[in-house]
Amino acid sequence: MGPTSKSSAAGTAFIVSTGTKKPDGEMRRFIRSHVMMGKNRGKTLPSRRKKTSTSNAAIASNGDKSSPPHKDAAAPIPTAATPATIPPKVGSDLSFIRFADTIDESTVGVIITFSSIAKKALFPLEACIDFGAREKEWMEALTVDPAYLHAMAFSTQDYFDLLPGRSSSSSSSSSSSSSSRPLDRPARVAAPHVVKTLRLLREQLETRGDAETPTVRASFSTVAVVLCLVFHAYVRGERLVALHHMRGLRKIVDLNGGLQGLRASSKLLLEVLRCDIGMALNNGTKPLFFADLAREPYWPYPDFAPHSPAYSPPCDLISGIDAELAKAWDVTAKFSALANRAALTRQKLPKEYLADTMLSVMYPLLHMPSDRFERGSLDEAVRLGLLAYCSSIFLQWKGVKLPYTHLPALYRNCLVDLRLPKPDAASDGSSSSSRLLLWLLMIGAVSVFGEGDDAWLKPWLRVNMELCGVCKSWDAMRDVLNSFMWIGMVHDVPGKTIFDSSSSSGLQVVLEYH
């Protein structure tokens, strides 16, 4: 073969080999480069655009199964895949609420939490009372009245501090020592809000006129602010401060038309009167409302006739008490029967039943002259027993046993000196007396007495449980209590606890009839 030559035509290289001689190095490199042309460029990744296009085409074909794609149909336009993203949350659910003043978010959270449970927390009978829709003024005032906002800040914190297991400043506080001891944590948290509330409240009253003239027109929130101040001083044990605020509240109510001026907000009216009654029970003073019957007649007794079954006294001892006490007993017992029936049938009573019973019964009992009944008399024991019973169903808060100072001591002394009729050999007088005393003791135990009373209370309870033959059965014990008055949804849980601890006690006392 002839010599090897290299030719190019129209940009194309040709190699001609005419002999057996191997090509030289330059030729070999040329041949190698020509053979490897288009190779060794690495792997080529599939086009994402093409994949998206194919995916879109598949979706389109699945979306219309009745029309198969035509072979000449145009391919769908490929679109870029955009991931769906949710922007992160900015702030909290409360961030967009414009409150009346600057306040930290954690405190607002406490206020909102309390507001969501307020009815259940403040009224032990909430489950069987129809309070209607929530009155919007209680929440709207947070956005317009800075004094109310700060008052709610410290008062709601006070409530949560009173719950079992929480630090409470009320248990060891007293008016004589509160100024000398260092403030605990709840007090330190509340103090700035209390100071600001007082300053703002003073400014509000000054701008509305002289407090000595009727030009002052207190708003809904102003009355609520003073209620918060009364409550805060009460749980802190500052008795004189609480009384000062209560008298100021009475003056504000008087300057705005009396109790009639509060009827537009039934809940606010009820809270004002509950506060008045609670202060009287704690301090041993007369209530500030219904003190002048010519100006403020007693609240009328409710008429339960259309709903309540006929009621008869549980024993002859109750039949022989003072006529006014007998009427109060009858109304309270009928209300209790209605509440038990409502709880059993899961129905609700009108809220007027609760207010009418509480006000018509408790105010006359509290305004009775101190010397009307002798200490240790059956009438006085029934009067105090009714007050203790009503406080447990109308005043006490769920999960919180509000402390009273005066009523427990007065009730304890009356029971110790109680003179019951001597039993007649021909009657069941012993049984009637023991059953009545058992009810009086148990009502005191579940409503006003504390752990410090266990030493004298539980042995006495056990003796009367044995005399009534109910020492070994809570159901039998409950039947005795129900024969007088007892609301299961309020009293069963604490009553069963006291029954268990009393029935297991080995202590005995001697019951004497004077």
Side-chain angles (χ1 to χ4, degrees), residues 67 125 142 214 219 222 260 267 325 330 332 358 361 404 501:
S67 303
L125 295 177
L142 295 172
S219 65
T222 301
Q260 284 296 128
K267 187 175 184 300
L325 286 178
D330 180 76
T332 309
M358 180 187 78
V361 169
Y404 294 131
S501 60

Side-chain angles (χ1 to χ4, degrees), residues 6-14 34:
K6 184 169 60 176
S7 175
S8 178
T12 302
F14 291 94
H34 183 74

Side-chain angles (χ1 to χ4, degrees), residues 407-477:
L407 179 60
L410 192 65
Y411 194 24
R412 182 190 312 113
N413 293 335
C414 180
L415 291 176
V416 170
D417 296 333
L418 180 59
R419 298 182 299 274
L420 292 173
K422 291 183 178 181
D424 186 350
S427 68
D428 65 343
S430 177
S431 175
S432 296
S433 298
S434 298
R435 289 168 61 238
L436 175 58
L437 184 57
L438 182 60
W439 182 83
L440 291 170
L441 291 170
M442 182 59 83
I443 287 303
V446 299
S447 57
V448 296
F449 294 144
E451 294 180 358
D453 296 293
D454 288 352
W456 66 269
L457 177 62
K458 289 186 176 180
W460 204 358
L461 271 170
R462 180 178 175 85
V463 167
N464 284 274
M465 287 159 55
E466 291 177 345
L467 290 174
C468 295
V470 299
C471 194
K472 296 182 179 180
S473 172
W474 165 245
D475 289 338
M477 172 74 162

Side-chain angles (χ1 to χ4, degrees), residues 166-242:
R166 296 289 294 271
S167 173
S168 175
S169 60
S170 62
S171 58
S172 62
S173 60
S174 65
S175 58
S176 61
S177 61
S178 60
S179 60
S180 59
R181 72 178 189 281
L183 293 178
D184 52 18
R185 182 184 177 279
R188 291 196 303 271
V189 172
H193 295 292
V194 175
V195 172
K196 197 162 189 178
T197 298
L198 290 170
R199 178 177 60 81
L200 292 170
L201 178 62
R202 189 177 300 111
E203 292 174 356
Q204 288 179 1
L205 294 178
E206 288 175 352
T207 57
R208 289 170 183 167
D210 183 1
E212 298 298 327
T213 67
T215 58
V216 177
R217 287 295 175 263
S219 65
F220 163 92
S221 58
T222 301
V223 176
V225 166
V226 182
L227 280 174
C228 291
L229 290 170
V230 174
F231 169 66
H232 178 72
Y234 167 70
V235 299
R236 291 289 300 160
E238 298 169 347
R239 175 176 172 271
L240 296 179
V241 176

Side-chain angles (χ1 to χ4, degrees), residues 103-155:
I103 193 168
D104 61 277
E105 188 172 313
S106 61
T107 301
V108 173
V110 173
I111 296 174
I112 300 301
T113 300
F114 175 80
S115 300
S116 66
I117 63 170
K119 286 182 182 178
K120 292 182 179 179
L122 301 183
F123 295 93
L125 295 177
E126 183 273 339
C128 62
I129 301 295
D130 183 9
F131 286 99
R134 179 183 299 179
E135 296 180 2
K136 61 182 180 179
E137 293 91 344
W138 294 86
M139 295 301 295
E140 288 182 348
L142 295 172
T143 64
V144 296
D145 190 337
Y148 177 74
L149 175 65
H150 288 283
M152 287 294 291
F154 67 74
S155 59

